[in-house]
Amino acid sequence: MAISDWPAGERPRERLLAHGPAALSDAELLAIYLRVGVRGKSAVDLARDLLGRFDYRLDALADASLKELASISGIGQAKAAQLKASFELARRALNQEMTQHDTLSSPGRVRDWLRLHLAARPHEVFMALWLDAQNRLLKAEELFAGTLTQTAVYPREVVKAALGHNAAAVILAHNHPSGIAEPSADDERLTRNLKDALALVDVRLLDHFIVAGNAPPLSFAERGLL
């Protein structure tokens, strides 16, 4: 049955207009964006299929390539381009908010931003959010990639980047593709070494996050590890 044949109170668009976007499921929101389904499937069915392709993870869907999205039955290049555009707008909106306001005043936004950028990465990525004296974002920078160990992340290079951005503080983050957010002994040792190295040039290490799957990123500061 097409969505247009559903009772008005059950149609995603009408429900959004009546109750707001927060009342809708991920599939219903995505269905509004897709607008139409394919033969034998409503837009909601197609949205569910699309989410299922990515294990019902919006971060994985957001990180999918244009080619991968376009190859899915019922999506094609036009819808794939629209999806990529929408996720990029979300990233930019979060980035702009952190640029204009005190980053530490909205830790939830920082977590959302990090999940959008790191949760679906297939390999480990180490990044820095360089901040000014008012804790506003100066630059988000990926510094290292691959299997991160004590020898793979060089404190000297991190300090060099801090000076290059004239940063007053930094929030570090890396992902665990395994989906397990618990910090390893190497993670803790590296964090201590980076904190000490950055302190020599008066750059404060405010936090270090580990991003792992759909779980909220783990904060070293909240764990008392800084």
Side-chain angles (χ1 to χ4, degrees):
M1 182 185 294
I3 291 177
S4 58
D5 296 326
W6 293 9
E10 296 180 12
R11 300 173 195 165
R13 183 171 60 186
E14 281 71 14
R15 289 197 340 103
L16 185 148
L17 292 171
H19 306 293
L24 275 64
S25 67
D26 292 345
E28 288 173 321
L29 289 169
L30 192 54
I32 292 175
Y33 204 83
L34 295 174
R35 295 181 57 206
V36 296
V38 294
R39 173 177 273 187
K41 292 183 180 180
S42 69
V44 172
D45 294 328
L46 182 58
R48 288 177 182 141
D49 287 351
L50 181 58
L51 288 169
R53 176 78 171 260
F54 296 95
D55 296 324
Y56 300 95
R57 288 178 52 187
L58 288 174
D59 54 356
L61 176 60
D63 207 47
S65 68
L66 272 171
K67 183 178 180 180
E68 186 177 8
L69 290 172
S71 69
I72 298 172
S73 176
I75 303 301
Q77 288 189 339
K79 285 189 174 69
Q82 291 174 334
L83 282 170
K84 292 300 289 184
S86 67
F87 284 120
E88 182 58 26
L89 283 172
R91 288 190 178 102
R92 293 185 186 189
L94 286 170
N95 188 79
Q96 190 173 68
E97 182 168 344
M98 291 196 296
T99 301
Q100 295 177 346
H101 303 287
D102 180 346
T103 299
L104 297 183
S105 68
S106 54
R109 294 294 188 189
V110 177
R111 282 184 159 95
D112 289 343
W113 191 95
L114 290 172
R115 283 182 61 195
L116 271 175
H117 281 73
L118 295 178
R121 296 292 187 91
H123 56 269
E124 288 194 48
V125 175
F126 184 90
M127 73 184 310
L129 305 182
W130 301 113
L131 309 175
D132 66 12
Q134 285 74 46
N135 293 329
R136 294 174 301 199
L137 183 66
L138 293 169
K139 177 76 174 179
E141 184 176 25
E142 293 186 12
L143 295 173
F144 308 98
T147 300
L148 301 182
T149 66
Q150 181 69 8
T151 56
V153 177
Y154 302 100
R156 178 181 61 189
E157 295 301 319
V158 176
V159 169
K160 183 178 177 181
L163 294 173
H165 294 295
N166 195 29
V170 64
I171 295 173
L172 300 174
H174 76 278
N175 62 315
H176 282 179
S178 65
I180 300 172
E182 285 300 311
S184 66
D186 280 343
D187 290 334
E188 294 185 30
R189 191 179 306 111
L190 172 63
T191 302
R192 290 194 298 269
N193 288 346
L194 289 174
K195 180 180 179 181
D196 292 344
L198 289 164
L200 294 174
V201 291
D202 294 324
V203 176
R204 294 170 295 134
L205 175 54
L206 301 180
D207 209 338
H208 184 174
F209 287 98
I210 296 177
V211 181
N214 284 325
L218 180 146
S219 163
F220 276 57
E222 291 175 1
R223 281 286 189 92
L225 297 174
L226 283 181

